[in-house]
Amino acid sequence: MRKKIVAGNWKMNTLLKDGMELAQAVEKLTSEKSNQALVIIAPPFTHLSKVRELIDHVKLSAQNCASEASGAYTGEVSPEMLVSAGAEYVILGHSERRSYYKEENELLNKKVKLALSKRLKPIYCCGEVLEERESGRLFDVVRAQLEVGLKDLSEQEIDQVVIAYEPVWAIGTGVVASPDQAQEMHKFIRDLLGELFSKQVAEHMSILYGGSCKPSNAEELFANPDVDGGLIGGASLVAEDFMAIVNAF
Ligand code: PEP
């Protein structure tokens, strides 16, 4: 059985006090119900160690990490620092990092490998922009993101990775992919993993959907055979909405 996962990406939202309250609310709701899915939250760096003290049933993720292990890299946060603050996962390759901070697949491959070497599990994001979908290049784009971003990982390493398919045109826009569009790309990703790694890796990989996922559409998205959960942005900032998505399983 593949792991079902719902992860909340808080992005650059919440001051420390609000973030702690949100984490506490998610922890409480998670602990009250036996969930089908693993619940992960990804607060800003500044909140990680405080939030870690408040959660038990919920796992902690960072939203990014450095591509270097330590040293003179002002403003960067290393995977090892994140682990020391209590993080178990790190989101890498989010479309906002790719577009605003020009993070390319090669750099992301370096980050993925470094994170794994420090026992931090990457939630590796991929997805096409609207123009790429409309011109029919969506599969080539996602293939390159996975081929290069996950290059040279051993079977043991790839087993620690979670993939999030996030069509960029659906992120924060209110326009959600249809269940068929999501399933089509998730199946493509799973088949590609079979080609790049092995059938076993492909079968074992949790592939999350992200992009305007809400309580009202989560159930039909998660009903697809290759959709193993969600990476949630906006709706993860309200504990009840986030948990309604978790409960869609
Ligand atoms: C995201 O940024 O990862 C995301 C899925 O955002 P939203 O749910 O707000 O579209």
Side-chain angles (χ1 to χ4, degrees):
M1 265 289 276
R2 286 195 286 274
K3 219 182 268 169
K4 306 286 184 198
I5 298 174
V6 178
N9 174 13
W10 296 4
K11 312 194 185 189
M12 198 169 69
N13 291 299
T14 73
L15 298 183
L16 181 57
K17 184 170 167 291
D18 310 317
M20 288 171 71
E21 282 170 12
L22 178 56
Q24 236 159 355
V26 173
E27 167 63 26
K28 184 167 181 289
L29 293 170
T30 305
S31 67
E32 283 170 359
K33 216 164 171 214
S34 73
N35 295 295
Q36 294 276 340
L38 178 69
V39 180
I40 303 175
I41 53 175
F45 286 146
T46 46
H47 303 12
L48 289 174
S49 59
K50 284 275 189 201
V51 164
R52 179 65 194 89
E53 289 168 15
L54 301 172
I55 55 176
D56 185 20
H57 300 78
V58 175
K59 302 287 185 190
L60 190 63
S61 175
Q63 299 174 18
N64 182 28
C65 72
S67 57
E68 303 295 335
S70 67
Y73 300 98
T74 303
E76 290 293 284
V77 180
S78 76
E80 217 169 1
M81 289 171 185
L82 297 174
V83 171
S84 76
E88 221 179 288
Y89 293 84
V90 60
I91 298 171
L92 291 174
H94 190 279
S95 70
E96 287 149 19
R97 302 284 330 162
R98 290 178 185 269
S99 67
Y100 303 147
Y101 302 99
K102 309 289 172 238
E103 295 197 3
E104 308 266 356
N105 294 326
E106 289 77 9
L107 174 81
L108 293 167
N109 182 240
K110 213 170 153 189
K111 290 190 178 197
V112 164
K113 285 182 184 159
L114 184 63
L116 286 165
S117 75
K118 305 297 177 190
R119 296 182 183 281
L120 195 58
K121 299 175 197 157
I123 301 173
Y124 182 73
C125 305
C126 58
E128 79 288 355
V129 300
L130 188 59
E131 190 269 314
E132 290 161 344
R133 173 167 283 264
E134 288 178 342
S135 62
R137 287 183 294 128
L138 67 167
F139 298 108
D140 292 342
V141 169
V142 170
R143 172 183 278 273
Q145 289 170 338
L146 296 176
E147 257 178 10
V148 180
L150 303 177
K151 194 165 182 268
D152 293 334
L153 299 193
S154 67
E155 288 226 0
Q156 231 176 347
E157 286 175 321
I158 188 70
D159 216 40
Q160 301 302 307
V161 175
V162 174
I163 289 176
Y165 167 59
E166 299 205 302
V168 182
W169 46 271
I171 297 180
T173 58
V175 182
V176 65
S178 71
D180 287 350
Q181 286 172 323
Q183 170 58 25
E184 183 184 38
M185 184 58 88
H186 282 232
K187 167 94 170 54
F188 170 79
I189 292 171
R190 201 175 302 288
D191 290 346
L192 179 60
L193 291 168
E195 191 188 302
L196 298 176
F197 296 95
S198 69
K199 199 164 180 319
Q200 201 183 326
V201 165
E203 274 310 307
H204 196 240
M205 178 63 69
S206 298
I207 307 176
L208 316 184
Y209 168 80
S212 297
C213 184
K214 298 187 278 274
S216 58
N217 57 33
E219 198 171 331
E220 57 175 9
L221 285 164
F222 296 171
N224 287 292
D226 289 296
V227 178
D228 305 307
L231 179 55
I232 318 299
S236 71
L237 295 170
V238 177
E240 290 72 21
D241 288 353
F242 183 56
M243 293 313 293
I245 295 173
V246 173
N247 292 329
F249 276 112

